[in-house]
Structures are given as structure tokens and as C-alpha cells.
Amino acid sequence: MKKLFFLGVVFLSHLSVQAQDLTYQTPPKAIADLVDAPITPRVSIAANGKWMLLLDVQDLPSIADLSQPELRIAGLRLNPRTNGPSRVSYSTALKLKRLSGGAEIPVKGLPTPAKISEVSWSPDDSKIAFALTTEATAAAGGQIQLWVLDVATATASQIPGVRLNSVFGTAYRWLPDNQTLIARTVPANRGQVPDITAAPTGPIVQENVGRTAAARTYQDLLKNPTDEKIFDYYATTQLMKVSLDGKTQPLGQPGVIQGASPSPDGKYILVETRHRPYSYQLTVGDFPVKVDVLDLSGNLVKSIADLPLADNVPTSFDAVPTGPRNHDWRDDAPATIYWVEAQDGGDPKKEAPIRDKVLALDAPFSAAPKEVVDLPLRYRGIRWGNNTTALVSGGRWSDRKVMTWVFNPTTKAAPTVLFDRSSQDTYNDPGTPYMKPNAAGRYVLALGGADKQTIYLLGEGASPEGNRPFVDQLNLKTRKTERWWRSEAPFYEVPVDILDVDKRLLVTRRESVEQAPNYFLRDAKKKNKLTALTSFPNPYPALGTLKKQVLQYKRADGLPLTANLYLPPNYKKTDGPLPTLLEAYPAEYKDKSTAGQVKGSPYTFTRLTWGSPIFWVTQGYAVLQNTSIPIVGEGDAQPNDTYIEQLVAGAKAAIEEGQRLGVVDHKRVGVMGHSYGAFMTANLLAHSNLFKAGIARSGAYNRTLTPFGFQAEERTYWEAPQVYDKMSPFTAANKIKTPILLIHGEADNNSGTFPIQSERFYNALKGHGATARYVVLPFESHGYAARESIMHMLWEMDSWLNKYVKEAPAAPVN
């Protein structure tokens, strides 16, 4: 029997308040066809530069798929039938292709269609491991199997008897011998699922005695002892050594093993195991954790740390737990563990000349740890190179400062500064150091030159003319930079991989306004030598070439702004101003110079995602997409101190620029946003008369419900109550007279955007006679997934825009 699902819809106006039961609706055909356009395959390139793997992507899941059983516990969302994540975008088929040329080779041995995830090349690129999820049947439950693809024969086969436990993500790692994997598996004979129907034996009690234990708002938390038992049941893993010939060996005892990483030499395993006491206010990432080293027989070699529940970490963005953290293997050494320890008690507000310290411990782990490097900023990551060269990064959120240092991992010499800038200064972003896998399959710095002191940087190339990606080489001693290559108009071309440093041979992904993204082999020494590797077609041939223009204009105070303007394919200047849809997502900045930098590129191909406003060019609208709405607070001032004023000024400037160009009818403009963009939408309707209607999806509207910070706001409600109150559109619900459409996923798991935010906001609007509609999408999370949900969302939006924007009713007075 076919299932019928009904949406919860509540509509109100000054004339009526009514609940509605609707079946799923479909938007106009032109929009629906774009949603159903074929999805471009994913691409993965072998590190040896010989092979390309193409992965077909599944179509949008159905609402029936989405409504399968789901556990929402400890900050995780699990499918109890498979013992893995409940919401996965699977690949359905695999093909191989030689980069040197030749046809695509379909991979044999796979079921049709397949549900493929967790794809990983072996260290020598001769094989590819992946997870394959099977459906539950009447005879057996679903499971996540371990499969291996032999590249030479393009044949895939299952490793029998291995049921992966993917609760914590990718459930296996290759050993450097290319024949063995370490896998997290579902324990055999684990028994029946704990009974969730049993009557409680008492109340649920939480207590705090004088400790400061602030926490941000999280979804899907443990709520009671039964939840704890369910979590243990599904999260408990048996570590297993798995050979490609099918031999398996259990390693150690079962536990809630979140991570199991082999050492680069393949002799040890670094294991992180979560354990009780659990928390009802924090997610699994803050539960107590034991860090151990095992050998390949599963014997305990060394207990590295046992860290308590991280429930007393300050709410500042740079705050961290005390004690050791971020344990991992040094990628360039056989078996050296490193970790980080805060020197400021984990509190960035404390003065400390040394903020973090990196320590290391070599096998056999019997000596005292060695200090590796001291940092004046909070640790952000290390890129290992060799025994004499590594890069370490640190940052400070309060002023967005980021630094990268060069240091010698062998000696405790002071590091030297390589980069020092604002994280928001995209114009001066030097790029990301290129990493390549070594023989163990661990990614290390690609170091060139006779002295191994040259690194290679791949960057977005932000500039006043838009992004122009590049590849540079930089000598770490002389600090001299040489540019290999830079993307040239009218194309947007991104470096994906460096196949040969000496020959300067690159793999790039190239696109233009008219040409869909495809992969190419580029010889950076020869400007025009370009060889196509793929030929993915335009997924929207019926749409034609979208008319896209990157607008550059200024806010009233002179701050430069940008927006992407899209016009209907057949639009002519003589058609005059159009009804317009403006979409944005505000961003906070600490200085005007970075806030005004140009974003994006005028040469990118437009790919339509489910939440895009660009669909409405098919309906005769002009669309202002990715409209920059910077919120700036310089010096001691914080951005949100003047949030409302800057928000309105940014939106007003975009509309005026479209009006100046003669394409935007300023009397018929709608505004939309998702998440923080929904928060923006509600505020614009409450504090301006710029718009005819608003569409707010999955937003938060009452900041007292996120009292320990939100978005980029570090201050708590008690530190800045006037900011929280003024920014909350809930407190201004009585001012909103412009029609507003609220849409929310019933199962939103994003921090802060609980569905109750839309529910209570709608009630406040209703209580003050607003024109509003509230749509709840069953089973949907913060981002929507099911085809029926997306089609209905687009139908709701189209109907709302046509009624309140295109038909231009009389302007409301807020």
C-alpha cells in the first residue's frame, strides 16, 4: 500500500486563523524539472596520478526513505537497522578511468543500484575500500558491509563476515601493507536491543553544586537512563583486523570506540573510547574519553590519557578543555603520538604568553613526552613534512587573527612566522599548502627543491575582480614566491591536485557561465596545454544560459558590497523592472576593509541546489542571490551592537542598486533566507518597509533560547541582554505586518534552531494579527532532503511570492 504523508500547515491573516492538512504539492514544471535534473558524478583521483574514480550519485530520497526508523541520541542520528548514520547521500555505481586516456570502465560485481559510502584508496592506489549498505528484509536486518575494489581488474567484492559499525563515521582504516584494514565492527552476539517500554524506576535528576558549567544549545541529547543503554548498544564496537583474503581477528575488548587510527608504520593503533558518566546537556564529543595504544594483536601497550566530561569549558569560541587533547599520529614518523595542552586553563580571556603547547611521545611510549612547539595563539592544526620541517597554525577569534609558523619537529627551537593575517582577509590568503600521501598513505607536506624547503600553495585567489584560483610555490627560507598558474577569464578553474611537481602537471576543475564543471589535465609550464578528463553535460539544457552579473555597489556609509544578479533567460532591457527575490546570509566582521572584499566569481557555472532562490528566474523574477550583508564591529565594538541598522542598510543598498540598473521593481521585492538567513528575514520585516513578503526557513527567532551565544556572538545573554533582545524578531513580532512564510523541518538538529523557535514565533505573530503561514516538513532536518519535501517547499514559496510580491498588494505599514 502506498503511504500518504500529510504536512502540518497553519495559516493566518487578519481575516482567518486555520490549520490545514495538505498532501505534498508540486511547483511549476519549470522549477520541478530543475530539481529533477541529473546529478553530476563525484570524482576521486588516485594519488599516483594514474586513475580517476567516478561515483554516480543517488537521486533525491523519497519521504518514505526519510521516514525509516531513526535514533536521535547523544548528538547523533542513527539508523538502527544498519547501525550507521541515518541520513547519507550514497553513490550508486562506480567507474574507473585512466588519466592517460581511454574510456570509462564500469566496476563489476556491484549490486544494482548500490548504496556506497566511506570510499578510500589504499596507500599504493591499487585498491579502493568502501562501505555498502544493504536494505533490511523480512529475513534479515540491513547492514553496512566492507567491500574492496581491485583497480587493475575493475572488480569489486565483499569481504565476508564483516559488519561495520559506522555510528561515528568511516569505520575502517588501511594499514600500510595495502592488504589489511582496521575496522570498527558490530560485536557478534551483542544480544537484543534494550527494552524501551519498561516503566521508569524513578525520576530523572541533574544537579550542579557551584561549578560553572555553561553549555550552548544542542539537539538530540540523551534524556534518561534508557537512552544511555540504547546509545551503548548501538555505539559499542568490536575492533577488528581484516585481511583482504577474508581473515579477521578481534582486537581488544568491545567499547564505545569513536576512533581507531593505525600508526604510519602499521605496528600500533591509537584508540579513543568514550565512557560514562554521560551527559544530558552535551553531545558525545564531550563525553569522557580514554586514549590508548594497542598493538596489532589487540594488547594494551600504553594508556595515554583518560579525560573527564568536558562540561566546564567556557563558552568563548577559543575555549578548550584543560589537559591533553587532539591526540593523533605524526604523519611523517613511524610511530609518534602528539597532542596539545592549553597553558591558559582553556580560557582565552586569561592573559597567557603561551596559549597552547604541542607535545609528542615516540614508540615504545615509555619515555617522558617531549615538548615540540609553543604557540601564543590557540592551536588550529599541524601539517607535518619531515624531521626538520613542519607548519603549525594558531588563531584568535576575538580579532579573527590567524598565524602559521615554520618549525623544526626535532629540536625545540622557536618557530618562525610564515603567515600573519586576518582569517577574513581573503585578498591576502596565501593559499593552502599542498599535501601528498606518503608510502603509509598519510598526507604530508609536498617539499620540493634540493634542500626540501619549497612548498606549494593552492588558493582561491580572491581579488577585486572576483576569485581567480592559483598555484604558487614558496621557498620557506627565502620567502620568495613564484606563481605557476592562475585562472583566467572567462573561466573559473580550480586546482584539484598536483600530479607532478617537477613537470608542473595539475588536475583542475574548469567551468564558465555556459559550461558545466569538468576535470582537465593542465600543464602549467605550457599555458594552453589542456586535456579534458571528463565531459559532464549541462544538467539544465532547457534553461539555456542564465544571465548572471556580479554587482558591486556601496552601502550608505561607503562600505563596498556585492550580490549575484540573475535575470530570466529571455529578459530584455525593454521588459523593464521585474518582481525581485533577495536572498542573503549575514556575516560578522571585525573591520570594514575585509567586510567589503568581493566575494565569488562572475565566471562560475550556476548549479541549483534545493534551497536556491535562482529557481524563480523561470517564473519571471529578478534574483539577488548571495547578497552580502556584512555586520561590522571594529575595535572594542562588537558587530551585533548595531546589527539591525547594518542589516537594513545592506538590504536597502542592494535594492537601490537593482533599481538603478532598471531591473528591480523596488515596489515588488521579496526576501528569503535559511537558518541565520531566516533570522535576518524576520528582522528585516520587523524593522523596515523594504519588502512585500518574506520567506524564513528553519530559523531561530528568540535569542533568549540560545543564551550562551549564537552564530558569531560570544557574549552570553546575561552579558549583553539588550543585544539579545533587540536582535530577536520574537520581541518585535507586534511590528511585523508584512506577510511572512515560516517553514521548518520537524526534526531540525541544528544547534539553536529547534522547531519550537518557529512554533513560538508563529504564535506571537498570530497573537498580533500578522499575515503568516507556518509549514512543518515531516522527518526533515535543518537541511531538507526528501523529494516530496523539497517540491512542496518550492510550491509554498512560489505561491507566497506570486500572491504577495508579483501581484503587488498595498504596502504594509510596520
Side-chain angles (χ1 to χ4, degrees):
M1 178 182 292
K2 183 178 179 181
K3 290 184 179 180
L4 292 178
F5 294 91
F6 295 89
L7 294 97
V9 179
V10 182
F11 174 75
L12 67 93
S13 70
H14 67 288
L15 296 176
S16 64
V17 179
Q18 56 188 12
Q20 303 175 9
D21 283 331
L22 290 177
T23 56
Y24 287 104
Q25 302 295 305
T26 303
K29 186 176 185 301
I31 293 178
D33 287 347
L34 293 175
V35 174
D36 287 333
I39 301 173
T40 302
R42 300 174 180 134
V43 170
S44 177
I45 297 171
N48 62 15
K50 295 180 180 179
W51 290 96
M52 170 183 285
L53 177 69
L54 296 100
L55 303 94
D56 291 345
V57 184
Q58 70 174 19
D59 295 330
L60 293 173
S62 69
I63 193 65
D65 293 331
L66 212 63
S67 64
Q68 296 300 307
E70 180 177 65
L71 294 173
R72 303 167 188 169
I73 49 175
L76 303 172
R77 294 205 161 176
L78 313 176
N79 184 339
R81 294 179 175 176
T82 64
N83 224 104
S86 57
R87 299 166 187 250
V88 181
S89 177
Y90 293 106
S91 298
T92 57
L94 303 176
K95 303 184 195 71
L96 287 163
K97 182 176 181 178
R98 291 185 181 275
L99 267 67
S100 58
E104 296 176 357
I105 306 169
V107 170
K108 303 182 291 290
L110 291 171
T112 305
K115 287 188 172 182
I116 297 166
S117 60
E118 303 179 27
V119 177
S120 176
W121 294 83
S122 64
D124 67 356
D125 296 319
S126 66
K127 300 171 184 65
I128 300 171
F130 57 91
L132 191 143
T133 301
T134 64
E135 299 284 354
T137 65
Q143 59 180 263
I144 304 175
Q145 302 169 348
L146 181 59
W147 284 57
V148 174
L149 161 61
D150 180 73
V151 174
T153 62
T155 302
S157 58
Q158 179 190 356
I159 297 180
V162 178
R163 184 182 178 189
L164 296 176
N165 186 333
S166 295
V167 161
F168 295 118
T170 300
Y172 68 89
R173 293 285 296 269
W174 283 98
L175 287 182
D177 66 358
N178 301 292
Q179 298 296 315
T180 313
L181 303 103
I182 301 299
R184 301 196 306 273
T185 67
V186 174
N189 305 316
R190 65 175 172 177
Q192 296 298 312
V193 179
D195 183 10
I196 62 174
T197 62
T201 58
I204 300 164
V205 178
Q206 301 181 61
E207 182 177 11
N208 186 68
V209 184
R211 293 174 72 242
T212 301
R216 290 204 170 203
T217 51
Y218 299 105
Q219 303 273 47
D220 302 339
L221 300 176
L222 298 176
K223 296 180 178 65
N224 52 54
T226 300
D227 279 357
E228 295 186 49
K229 294 176 183 178
I230 295 291
F231 171 71
D232 280 338
Y233 181 82
Y234 287 102
T236 296
T237 283
Q238 173 63 64
L239 209 59
M240 192 83 71
K241 182 166 69 173
V242 180
S243 300
L244 298 188
D245 60 8
K247 295 178 181 177
T248 60
Q249 176 188 345
L251 302 175
Q253 296 300 310
V256 182
I257 299 174
Q258 189 170 19
S261 172
S263 59
D265 65 3
K267 295 181 179 179
Y268 305 96
I269 310 167
L270 184 64
V271 179
E272 294 185 338
T273 306
R274 299 289 173 178
H275 62 82
R276 295 170 183 255
Y278 297 149
S279 169
Y280 293 176
Q281 291 188 317
L282 299 171
T283 62
V284 64
D286 290 314
F287 291 178
V289 60
K290 196 169 187 296
V291 183
D292 296 318
V293 178
L294 306 183
D295 63 21
L296 286 194
S297 296
N299 301 308
L300 178 66
V301 176
K302 177 76 174 180
S303 289
I304 302 296
D306 192 352
L307 306 175
L309 180 71
D311 65 342
N312 62 341
V313 179
T315 56
S316 301
F317 287 167
D318 284 336
V320 296
T322 57
R325 68 183 197 276
N326 299 99
H327 294 82
D328 204 350
W329 295 108
R330 212 178 115 174
D331 297 305
D332 64 326
T336 297
I337 298 170
Y338 73 96
W339 63 88
V340 186
E341 294 186 10
Q343 305 299 298
D344 56 3
D347 187 351
K349 294 182 179 179
K350 290 183 179 179
E351 294 293 331
I354 298 174
R355 191 67 63 185
D356 269 336
K357 188 185 293 287
V358 179
L359 299 97
L361 182 63
D362 299 329
F365 319 109
S366 55
K370 299 178 294 185
E371 295 187 1
V372 177
V373 65
D374 297 337
L375 300 178
L377 304 178
R378 185 66 74 214
Y379 171 84
R380 295 281 179 87
I382 287 181
R383 290 181 170 89
W384 299 101
N386 56 31
N387 282 335
T388 61
T389 305
L391 304 180
V392 61
S393 298
R396 183 171 57 224
W397 171 259
S398 61
D399 59 359
R400 314 303 195 261
K401 185 181 185 68
V402 289
M403 296 180 69
T404 299
W405 296 265
V406 183
F407 74 99
N408 186 322
T410 304
T411 64
K412 183 75 168 41
T416 59
V417 177
L418 181 62
F419 305 128
D420 183 354
R421 65 183 187 92
S422 165
S423 63
Q424 296 181 320
D425 182 7
T426 56
Y427 286 0
N428 289 301
D429 186 347
T432 302
Y434 174 65
M435 311 285 285
K436 67 176 183 180
N438 56 20
R442 311 283 298 203
Y443 279 81
V444 296
L445 286 169
L447 295 169
D451 56 359
K452 299 297 181 184
Q453 287 295 295
T454 296
I455 64 172
Y456 308 94
L457 300 166
L458 282 60
E460 276 292 327
S463 73
E465 58 193 18
N467 287 0
R468 294 182 60 187
F470 63 84
V471 178
D472 285 351
Q473 71 174 38
L474 169 65
N475 188 282
L476 296 175
K477 285 186 175 179
T478 66
R479 299 295 200 265
K480 289 183 178 179
T481 299
E482 179 186 351
R483 177 142 295 174
W484 281 15
W485 165 85
R486 188 187 189 199
S487 179
E488 299 287 345
F491 295 98
Y492 176 73
E493 191 171 355
V494 180
V496 175
D497 203 354
I498 300 177
L499 298 187
D500 192 308
V501 166
D502 296 327
K503 295 180 180 179
R504 299 191 178 183
L505 195 60
L506 313 174
V507 173
T508 65
R509 187 179 64 251
R510 190 178 198 232
E511 61 192 272
S512 71
V513 172
E514 299 178 355
Q515 297 177 13
N518 272 288
Y519 290 81
F520 290 83
L521 198 61
R522 174 175 283 281
D523 187 336
K525 289 185 176 181
K526 300 176 182 178
K527 183 176 180 180
N528 297 319
K529 190 169 182 182
L530 197 65
T531 304
L533 297 174
T534 62
S535 55
F536 302 135
N538 180 347
Y540 319 116
L543 186 59
T545 301
L546 281 174
K547 295 182 179 179
K548 172 188 174 183
Q549 182 181 351
V550 177
L551 305 184
Q552 298 188 35
Y553 51 99
K554 291 184 177 180
R555 207 165 67 179
D557 62 358
L559 184 68
L561 303 174
T562 60
N564 295 327
L565 171 66
Y566 289 89
L567 297 172
N570 298 320
Y571 176 79
K572 302 181 296 297
K573 196 73 172 177
T574 54
D575 293 338
L578 299 173
T580 300
L581 179 58
L582 183 151
E583 176 269 340
Y585 192 95
E588 297 86 345
Y589 293 85
K590 284 301 294 176
D591 65 86
K592 289 183 177 180
S593 63
T594 58
Q597 293 181 351
V598 174
K599 310 296 188 296
S601 167
Y603 305 117
T604 54
F605 180 81
T606 300
R607 183 82 209 194
L608 299 179
T609 59
W610 65 266
S612 175
I614 303 171
F615 291 110
W616 277 273
V617 297
T618 67
Q619 304 304 301
Y621 289 80
V623 174
L624 291 168
Q625 181 256 354
N626 199 24
T627 306
S628 61
I629 307 284
I631 310 296
V632 186
E634 295 188 306
D636 293 334
Q638 294 302 311
N640 287 336
D641 293 345
T642 53
Y643 172 85
I644 298 297
E645 295 84 351
Q646 296 190 67
L647 188 72
V648 173
K652 186 172 185 288
I655 294 171
E656 289 178 344
E657 177 64 10
Q659 185 180 2
R660 185 189 68 81
L661 295 173
V663 296
V664 170
D665 181 350
H666 72 284
K667 294 181 180 180
R668 294 189 294 165
V669 181
V671 60
M672 66 163 283
H674 190 90
S675 192
Y676 205 53
F679 177 71
M680 169 206 73
T681 296
N683 267 309
L684 284 170
L685 300 192
H687 299 288
S688 79
N689 292 311
L690 296 170
F691 301 98
K692 290 297 181 185
I695 301 170
R697 298 188 317 229
S698 298
Y701 309 103
N702 183 349
R703 284 304 168 195
T704 66
L705 297 179
T706 56
F708 287 103
F710 59 91
Q711 204 68 11
E713 179 58 68
E714 283 191 296
R715 296 170 294 184
T716 70
Y717 173 75
W718 298 273
E719 292 171 324
Q722 70 286 355
V723 172
Y724 276 65
D725 290 339
K726 185 178 179 180
M727 289 182 67
S728 295
F730 179 84
T731 65
N734 61 318
K735 298 180 181 180
I736 297 178
K737 308 303 179 186
T738 304
I740 183 169
L741 171 63
L742 302 175
I743 304 175
H744 216 118
E746 177 192 39
D748 193 327
N749 66 336
N750 184 56
S751 176
T753 54
F754 294 77
I756 197 173
Q757 289 272 8
S758 288
E759 178 185 332
R760 294 291 171 82
F761 187 41
Y762 171 77
N763 286 340
L765 293 166
K766 179 181 67 173
H768 289 92
T771 296
R773 184 177 175 90
Y774 174 35
V775 179
V776 179
L777 300 175
F779 301 107
E780 292 294 350
S781 184
H782 191 59
Y784 314 149
R787 182 181 183 276
E788 293 91 336
S789 300
I790 291 168
M791 291 294 190
H792 186 89
M793 175 203 74
L794 294 169
W795 175 81
E796 291 277 2
M797 293 174 65
D798 188 65
S799 301
W800 200 254
L801 291 170
N802 287 340
K803 184 173 183 179
Y804 293 108
V805 176
K806 211 173 202 180
E807 297 176 7
V813 179
N814 286 0

